[in-house]
C-alpha cells in the first residue's frame, strides 16, 4: 500500500508542476527526494520478496518519471534502491517486466543528471 500511495503522490507532484498549478521545480525536487528517501529506507529494511521488489521498482519508476524533478541526491537514492533490490536473493526470480523496470530506473536517473 505504501508503494501505491507514494506513486500516487509522485504523479500528483508531476501533474501539478506540468500544469504550473503549484510547485516550482525546486519544490518538486524536494518532494521527490523526500519520497525517494522513504523508498530507500524501505528497500534497505524490507524482506525482499519478488513481489516487494516488483512493487518497489514500479513505484520508483513512477517517482522518477519526470527527470526535471530529479536532482543529484535523488539519483543517488535511486541507484541505492536499485542496488539493494537487484542484489537480493529474490532478484534472480523476477518476471521480465520487473527486470525491465530496473533498467528504466537506472536510465531515468542517469538522464536526469547527464
Amino acid at each position: 500500500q505504501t508503494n501505491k500511495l507514494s506513486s500516487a503522490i509522485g504523479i500528483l507532484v508531476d501533474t501539478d508542476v506540468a500544469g504550473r498549478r503549484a510547485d516550482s521545480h525546486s519544490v518538486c525536487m524536494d518532494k521527490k527526494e523526500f519520497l525517494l528517501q522513504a523508498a530507500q529506507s524501505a528497500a534497505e529494511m524490507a524482506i525482499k520478496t519478488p513481489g516487494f521488489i516488483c512493487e518497489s521498482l514500479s513505484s520508483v519508476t513512477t517517482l522518477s518519471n519526470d527527470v526535471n524533478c530529479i536532482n543529484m541526491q535523488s539519483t543517488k537514492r535511486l541507484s541505492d534502491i536499485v542496488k539493494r533490490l537487484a542484489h537480493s536473493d529474490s532478484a534472480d526470480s523476477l518476471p521480465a517486466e520487473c527486470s525491465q523496470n530496473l533498467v528504466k530506473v537506472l536510465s531515468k536517473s542517469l538522464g536526469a543528471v547527464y
Side-chain angles (χ1 to χ4, degrees), residues 1 3-4 46-59 85 88 90-91 93-95 98:
Q1 292 293 26
N3 283 324
K4 291 176 185 176
I47 297 170
K48 294 159 193 73
T49 63
F52 174 82
I53 293 171
C54 290
E55 193 171 313
S56 295
L57 288 171
S58 177
S59 179
L85 297 177
S88 70
S90 298
S93 61
L94 297 177
C98 195

Side-chain angles (χ1 to χ4, degrees), residues 8 28 36 38-39 45 49 57 65 78:
C28 177
L36 288 167
M45 295 184 284
T49 63
L57 288 171
N65 191 44
L78 285 166

